[in-house]
Amino acid sequence: KKSTPLASSIISKNDIASVNLSGSGNSGKIMKDDVLSALNKENIDEQGRMITKSKLSSLRRKIATRLVTVKNETAMLTTFNEADMSQIIDLRKTHQEKFIEAHGVKLGYMSLFVKAVVHAIETVPNVNAAIDGNDIILYDKPHIGVAISTEKGLVVPVIRNANDLSLADIEKAIIKHAEKARSGNVELNDLTGGTFSITNGGIFGSMMSTPILNPPQSGILGMHTIQERPVALNGQVVIRPMMYLALTYDHRIVDGREAVTFLVAINEFIENPNLNLID
């Protein structure tokens, strides 16, 4: 039977016998809609490709709206650095067993980076701020949002007064928030009031990215995967476990010098961890 070029393409790609099709065109010519009707599917585009359509979830719609708003209403910039993770890795190996015995939780990287952010905020307080109309709100306490991946998307529960917490307290708070997030029991209070956020794309293998601000916060730190790379140290090329760090900040509040100083403070903290952290 005769068919239109598009109908012929769909017939060929879907292995349909044209003799079984009824044509609705002139002289019984097979049209695209005739083929779709025979397939009983509406998931083929004009090129004959199989497609799947699904509605955006309400959460995805809210996230999409929020991301566009952030892009349009802030002056986002990202600065990068890299940290030698050797000292942190050794610290965890040395103290992990006793840490678990004492606190019942593992010492992870995230709590150490929360502490690094607290240290950096003490060095550059302007990062712990937000814009409210024509005013800048400077917070005296760091409430650190920690991004957690769930089946429904990313949520960012807040660890409040992180400067007053021990590593064990932070680890327990992260575990509690993660359990609530993944069971769908997150409350609005868990997600509000953050003054700075941390996201770890490294757990998915991300080597480098530019995290997007979590408004109205003026800064977010992006952690990435740890990779052994050759680096120059004291005139020699050595292999070190390195992590790229990314700080996205709102340039309306934080200038470039402050952003670089902030990220350098995090880097110095991670490369030279204070053993007094282990409580």
Side-chain angles (χ1 to χ4, degrees):
K1 294 181 180 180
K2 290 185 178 181
S3 57
T4 64
L6 179 55
S8 296
S9 175
I10 299 172
I11 289 169
S12 175
K13 290 180 180 179
N14 289 275
D15 195 24
I16 302 170
S18 62
V19 293
N20 297 325
L21 296 175
S22 298
S24 61
N26 293 333
S27 302
K29 179 180 285 189
I30 298 171
M31 312 299 288
K32 180 192 76 171
D33 288 342
D34 299 326
V35 183
L36 296 180
S37 178
L39 286 170
N40 195 27
K41 295 177 181 176
E42 295 181 356
N43 56 346
I44 298 177
D45 68 4
E46 295 295 330
Q47 307 302 318
R49 296 174 297 190
M50 299 291 291
I51 61 174
T52 301
K53 286 186 178 180
S54 60
K55 294 289 186 182
L56 280 172
S57 67
S58 59
L59 176 60
R60 284 290 178 188
R61 290 198 301 271
K62 289 177 182 177
I63 291 174
T65 301
R66 192 175 181 86
L67 292 180
V68 172
T69 300
V70 175
K71 181 180 178 182
N72 292 336
E73 295 184 1
T74 64
M76 282 193 299
L77 288 178
T78 304
T79 186
F80 299 93
N81 208 321
E82 62 178 353
D84 183 343
M85 299 291 288
S86 300
Q87 294 297 319
I88 287 294
I89 291 172
D90 289 345
L91 182 146
R92 292 181 69 235
K93 286 180 179 179
T94 301
H95 299 279
Q96 189 68 274
E97 187 174 334
K98 289 184 178 179
F99 192 89
I100 294 173
E101 288 178 2
H103 304 292
V105 292
K106 286 186 176 181
L107 173 59
Y109 290 113
M110 184 58 77
S111 62
L112 290 161
F113 272 92
V114 169
K115 281 292 189 182
V117 165
V118 169
H119 165 71
I121 286 174
E122 291 171 351
T123 305
V124 188
N126 275 1
V127 176
N128 202 47
I131 283 184
D132 180 19
N134 293 322
D135 300 323
I136 294 179
I137 300 172
L138 189 64
Y139 303 104
D140 68 335
K141 294 285 187 179
H143 294 348
I144 309 300
V146 176
I148 295 173
S149 178
T150 72
E151 291 183 357
K152 294 183 178 181
L154 208 65
V155 296
V156 190
V158 177
I159 299 174
R160 305 184 190 283
N161 300 326
N163 59 318
D164 295 330
L165 302 180
S166 67
L167 288 173
D169 292 333
I170 295 171
E171 289 292 347
K172 291 175 182 177
I174 292 172
I175 292 171
K176 179 181 177 181
H177 283 308
E179 289 174 347
K180 291 180 70 175
R182 288 165 185 155
S183 63
N185 294 319
V186 173
E187 300 171 11
L188 182 61
N189 186 57
D190 296 327
L191 306 176
T192 55
T195 61
F196 187 93
S197 291
I198 306 176
T199 182
N200 184 8
I203 59 176
F204 305 111
S206 173
M207 186 173 179
M208 183 177 288
S209 65
T210 55
I212 192 166
L213 287 172
N214 185 16
Q217 300 169 20
S218 65
I220 180 171
L221 176 71
M223 299 164 57
H224 298 90
T225 192
I226 300 172
Q227 287 190 329
E228 288 194 340
R229 295 200 297 270
V231 296
L233 184 65
N234 299 322
Q236 300 292 322
V237 176
V238 295
I239 304 297
R240 287 288 187 270
M242 306 297 293
M243 176 190 285
Y244 286 120
L245 302 175
L247 173 68
T248 296
Y249 60 99
D250 190 340
H251 206 359
R252 297 176 303 166
I253 304 174
V254 182
D255 64 28
R257 176 186 59 82
E258 289 175 321
V260 171
T261 301
F262 184 91
L263 197 51
V264 167
I266 290 175
N267 186 76
E268 291 174 345
F269 184 97
I270 294 300
E271 292 191 345
N272 300 283
N274 186 343
L275 289 180
N276 291 331
L277 283 171
I278 306 298
D279 31 50

